[in-house]
Amino acid sequence: QLQLVESGGGLVQAGGSLRLSCAYSGRTFSSEYMGWFRQAPGKEREFVAAMRWSGVGTYYADFVKGRFTISRDNAKNTVYLQMNSLKPEDTAVYYCAARLSECLWTYGSSCYQPQRYDYWGQGTQVTVSS
Protein backbone atom coordinates (compact mmCIF):
# COMPACT_ATOMS: atom_id res chain seq x y z
CA GLN A 1 0.00 0.00 0.00
CA LEU A 2 1.04 3.54 -0.68
CA GLN A 3 -0.33 6.54 1.24
CA LEU A 4 -0.41 10.02 -0.26
CA VAL A 5 -1.30 13.24 1.56
CA GLU A 6 -1.48 16.59 -0.24
CA SER A 7 -1.11 20.03 1.29
CA GLY A 8 -0.32 23.58 0.25
CA GLY A 9 -3.49 24.63 -1.52
CA GLY A 10 -5.16 27.96 -0.91
CA LEU A 11 -6.39 31.21 -2.37
CA VAL A 12 -4.04 33.27 -4.52
CA GLN A 13 -4.40 36.16 -6.93
CA ALA A 14 -3.83 35.72 -10.64
CA GLY A 15 -0.13 35.88 -11.42
CA GLY A 16 0.81 34.52 -8.01
CA SER A 17 2.45 31.26 -6.97
CA LEU A 18 1.74 28.24 -4.81
CA ARG A 19 3.69 25.12 -4.00
CA LEU A 20 1.74 21.93 -3.42
CA SER A 21 3.24 19.08 -1.44
CA CYS A 22 2.46 15.37 -1.53
CA ALA A 23 3.85 13.39 1.37
CA TYR A 24 4.14 9.69 0.58
CA SER A 25 4.67 6.58 2.69
CA GLY A 26 4.36 2.83 2.28
CA ARG A 27 5.50 0.66 -0.65
CA THR A 28 7.07 3.48 -2.65
CA PHE A 29 9.60 1.21 -4.36
CA SER A 30 6.82 -0.39 -6.40
CA SER A 31 5.74 2.90 -8.02
CA GLU A 32 6.77 3.82 -11.54
CA TYR A 33 5.43 7.37 -11.69
CA MET A 34 4.25 10.08 -9.34
CA GLY A 35 1.82 12.57 -10.81
CA TRP A 36 -0.50 15.49 -10.24
CA PHE A 37 -4.02 15.78 -11.59
CA ARG A 38 -6.70 18.40 -11.10
CA GLN A 39 -10.46 18.56 -11.23
CA ALA A 40 -12.50 21.73 -11.61
CA PRO A 41 -16.23 21.83 -10.75
CA GLY A 42 -18.27 20.14 -13.44
CA LYS A 43 -15.21 18.92 -15.32
CA GLU A 44 -13.35 15.66 -15.59
CA ARG A 45 -10.13 15.03 -13.74
CA GLU A 46 -7.19 15.95 -15.95
CA PHE A 47 -3.48 15.30 -16.05
CA VAL A 48 -1.17 18.11 -14.92
CA ALA A 49 2.34 16.71 -14.47
CA ALA A 50 4.24 13.52 -13.65
CA MET A 51 7.73 12.29 -13.00
CA ARG A 52 9.41 8.92 -13.00
CA TRP A 53 10.04 7.51 -9.57
CA SER A 54 13.70 7.29 -10.56
CA GLY A 55 13.67 11.06 -11.05
CA VAL A 56 14.75 10.82 -14.68
CA GLY A 57 11.94 12.16 -16.81
CA THR A 58 9.24 14.75 -16.21
CA TYR A 59 6.03 15.24 -18.18
CA TYR A 60 3.62 18.16 -18.34
CA ALA A 61 0.25 19.05 -19.78
CA ASP A 62 0.57 21.70 -22.48
CA PHE A 63 -1.43 24.21 -20.47
CA VAL A 64 1.11 24.24 -17.61
CA LYS A 65 4.40 24.00 -19.49
CA GLY A 66 6.71 26.78 -18.44
CA ARG A 67 4.57 27.62 -15.41
CA PHE A 68 4.49 24.46 -13.25
CA THR A 69 7.38 22.28 -12.10
CA ILE A 70 7.20 18.82 -10.52
CA SER A 71 10.01 17.72 -8.25
CA ARG A 72 10.79 15.35 -5.39
CA ASP A 73 12.73 15.49 -2.14
CA ASN A 74 13.73 11.96 -1.17
CA ALA A 75 14.89 13.00 2.28
CA LYS A 76 11.44 14.35 3.06
CA ASN A 77 9.46 11.70 1.18
CA THR A 78 7.63 14.46 -0.62
CA VAL A 79 6.70 15.32 -4.21
CA TYR A 80 6.09 18.97 -5.04
CA LEU A 81 4.21 20.91 -7.65
CA GLN A 82 5.52 24.45 -7.93
CA MET A 83 2.89 26.58 -9.65
CA ASN A 84 3.83 30.01 -10.98
CA SER A 85 1.95 32.59 -13.05
CA LEU A 86 -1.34 31.16 -11.86
CA LYS A 87 -4.51 31.89 -13.81
CA PRO A 88 -8.15 31.78 -12.73
CA GLU A 89 -8.60 28.72 -14.97
CA ASP A 90 -6.10 26.86 -12.78
CA THR A 91 -8.74 26.82 -10.03
CA ALA A 92 -9.42 23.19 -9.13
CA VAL A 93 -8.88 20.48 -6.57
CA TYR A 94 -5.38 19.13 -7.11
CA TYR A 95 -4.64 15.46 -6.50
CA CYS A 96 -1.38 13.58 -6.09
CA ALA A 97 -1.31 10.10 -7.62
CA ALA A 98 1.00 7.14 -8.07
CA ARG A 99 1.14 4.69 -10.92
CA LEU A 100 2.68 1.24 -10.60
CA SER A 101 3.07 0.37 -14.27
CA GLU A 102 5.19 1.70 -17.11
CA CYS A 103 3.57 3.58 -19.97
CA LEU A 104 4.51 5.26 -23.23
CA TRP A 105 4.23 9.02 -23.17
CA THR A 106 2.55 9.56 -26.50
CA TYR A 107 -0.49 11.72 -27.20
CA GLY A 108 -3.61 10.25 -25.62
CA SER A 109 -1.80 7.36 -23.97
CA SER A 110 -2.76 5.81 -20.67
CA CYS A 111 -0.02 7.86 -19.03
CA TYR A 112 -2.44 10.79 -19.04
CA GLN A 113 -5.53 8.90 -17.89
CA PRO A 114 -6.42 9.21 -14.21
CA GLN A 115 -8.14 5.82 -14.16
CA ARG A 116 -4.76 4.21 -14.88
CA TYR A 117 -3.20 5.51 -11.66
CA ASP A 118 -3.31 3.24 -8.67
CA TYR A 119 -3.10 5.41 -5.56
CA TRP A 120 -4.56 8.82 -4.79
CA GLY A 121 -4.41 11.48 -2.15
CA GLN A 122 -7.46 13.28 -0.81
CA GLY A 123 -6.86 16.45 -2.82
CA THR A 124 -6.15 20.07 -1.98
CA GLN A 125 -8.14 23.08 -3.19
CA VAL A 126 -6.44 25.77 -5.26
CA THR A 127 -8.42 28.92 -5.98
CA VAL A 128 -7.04 31.67 -8.21
CA SER A 129 -8.87 34.99 -8.12
CA SER A 130 -8.86 37.43 -11.01
Side-chain angles (χ1 to χ4, degrees):
Q1 291 294 322
L2 180 63
Q3 292 79 44
L4 306 173
V5 179
E6 302 98 332
S7 61
L11 174 64
V12 64
Q13 288 189 332
S17 299
L18 280 176
R19 188 178 75 164
L20 305 183
S21 300
C22 173
Y24 54 82
S25 61
R27 294 172 60 89
T28 56
F29 60 86
S30 62
S31 298
E32 189 67 37
Y33 297 99
M34 295 293 289
W36 288 93
F37 288 77
R38 70 186 187 185
Q39 188 166 18
K43 295 188 176 181
E44 295 186 348
R45 193 168 297 189
E46 63 181 354
F47 171 81
V48 175
M51 66 183 300
R52 287 187 179 274
W53 186 252
S54 66
V56 180
T58 56
Y59 312 90
Y60 296 94
D62 287 344
F63 54 78
V64 303
K65 283 182 180 177
R67 299 190 300 127
F68 292 10
T69 303
I70 187 171
S71 63
R72 192 179 83 196
D73 186 332
N74 291 337
K76 296 182 178 181
N77 285 1
T78 301
V79 174
Y80 300 101
L81 185 69
Q82 178 66 44
M83 306 186 296
N84 299 327
S85 302
L86 282 162
K87 305 174 182 179
E89 51 264 43
D90 293 319
T91 295
V93 177
Y94 283 71
Y95 297 90
C96 177
R99 177 180 171 127
L100 303 181
S101 58
E102 176 63 272
C103 60
L104 185 62
W105 289 88
T106 56
Y107 178 78
S109 78
S110 68
C111 300
Y112 300 94
Q113 298 172 1
Q115 61 268 33
R116 301 301 294 270
Y117 283 70
D118 303 283
Y119 295 97
W120 292 87
Q122 82 288 351
T124 186
Q125 176 71 48
V126 171
T127 302
V128 184
S129 63
S130 57

